[in-house]
Amino acid sequence: MPSFPMPFPQMIVPPEPTQARSKQAFERLLLVGEQLLAENRFDEIGVADLAKLAETSVGTFYRLLGDKDTLSRLLLQRFFSDMVEKVETLTELRQWEGRSLEEFIRAMVAMFVAVNGGRSGVLRALITRASQDAQFRDRVHQINHLISQRTVAVLASKSSSIRHPNPTQAMMVVPPVLLGILNQHTLTGSLSFLSGAALEDELVRVALNYLT
């Protein structure tokens, strides 16, 4: 399967500090920013406190980033890039030759759940921003299209196991349904009564029962 290119241009060009200390400060700022998003504290914290948490100066923050919106966009852009890489790795077609539909569904669900749980703060910010910014929402649609495109290619190779009356349509429905459930859970905690393993099992059951 050919590799699909990044489906959208960069939202913002990341800084490329040349000095080791500046590179380290930049990475710490990204780390702290993601932690603050996870704790729902990003919007309320000031630049001075953010810089202090990152063990750097306010001057370094402004020199590297300019403002908090730039930091937010860089975190979302990094999330997009990581997701694209994970999807492309998971859906490399040759690795699924001779393996079952259920094996692929389980691997796909495990990846979705891991991304959802591991970076829930960034994902919440992504969902919120997409609801408010049409241009940003278009980029989210592009990455969702990539996920569906790559996933359907693998599912199509398992079409003999799919019993849905309209297999092509069903294969296109599965990725957005699973992601929609997880996005809702990220925003509201609606499935918090399930352990991570139980959540994966239930989503696998949803997808398999629908397809077969």
Side-chain angles (χ1 to χ4, degrees):
M1 178 185 294
S3 176
F4 289 84
M6 182 73 74
F8 48 83
Q10 288 185 321
M11 293 183 292
I12 187 169
V13 178
E16 296 182 356
T18 55
Q19 296 183 350
R21 289 180 61 184
S22 294
K23 289 180 180 178
Q24 292 165 1
F26 178 60
E27 289 300 322
R28 290 197 303 272
L29 286 166
L30 290 175
L31 178 61
V32 167
E34 188 157 333
Q35 290 172 341
L36 291 169
L37 285 174
E39 297 167 2
N40 285 322
R41 295 172 53 210
F42 186 88
D43 290 338
E44 67 188 47
I45 197 167
V47 169
D49 288 334
L50 197 158
K52 184 177 180 180
L53 287 171
E55 300 179 356
T56 191
S57 67
V58 172
T60 298
F61 175 92
Y62 282 116
R63 178 168 54 82
L64 292 174
L65 296 168
D67 53 39
K68 281 176 61 183
D69 186 63
T70 298
L71 175 57
S72 173
R73 285 175 176 269
L74 284 170
L75 289 169
L76 296 177
Q77 184 166 283
R78 175 179 280 194
F79 177 85
F80 279 145
S81 298
D82 289 348
M83 175 64 93
V84 168
E85 183 178 350
K86 285 181 171 64
V87 169
E88 290 186 336
T89 299
L90 177 72
T91 56
E92 180 59 44
L93 197 56
R94 283 174 294 183
Q95 68 182 302
W96 296 106
E97 292 176 0
R99 300 172 69 181
S100 69
L101 173 66
E102 181 174 351
E103 284 182 281
F104 174 68
I105 293 293
R106 286 195 174 278
M108 177 180 65
V109 166
M111 184 198 73
F112 287 167
V113 170
V115 169
N116 176 275
R119 302 176 79 172
S120 57
V122 176
L123 190 54
R124 276 196 303 271
L126 186 155
I127 295 168
T128 301
R129 190 162 201 143
S131 70
Q132 301 168 348
D133 183 331
Q135 185 177 19
F136 187 83
R137 186 161 58 249
D138 286 343
R139 289 193 170 98
V140 174
H141 289 328
Q142 288 173 337
I143 196 169
N144 285 340
H145 177 69
L146 171 71
I147 292 170
S148 292
Q149 190 178 31
R150 299 281 304 199
T151 301
V152 167
V154 181
L155 291 174
S157 72
K158 312 297 176 189
S159 59
S160 61
S161 300
I162 296 175
R163 299 288 182 263
H164 190 282
N166 189 335
T168 301
Q169 178 175 286
M171 289 186 286
M172 294 174 65
V173 165
V174 166
V177 165
L178 295 178
L179 289 172
I181 292 170
L182 286 170
N183 287 348
Q184 181 68 15
H185 173 52
T186 295
L187 290 174
T188 67
S190 56
L191 298 174
S192 297
F193 60 91
L194 294 173
S195 67
L199 177 59
E200 287 187 25
D201 285 343
E202 291 304 319
L203 292 178
V204 168
R205 189 172 290 111
V206 166
L208 281 177
N209 286 346
Y210 175 68
L211 290 170
T212 62

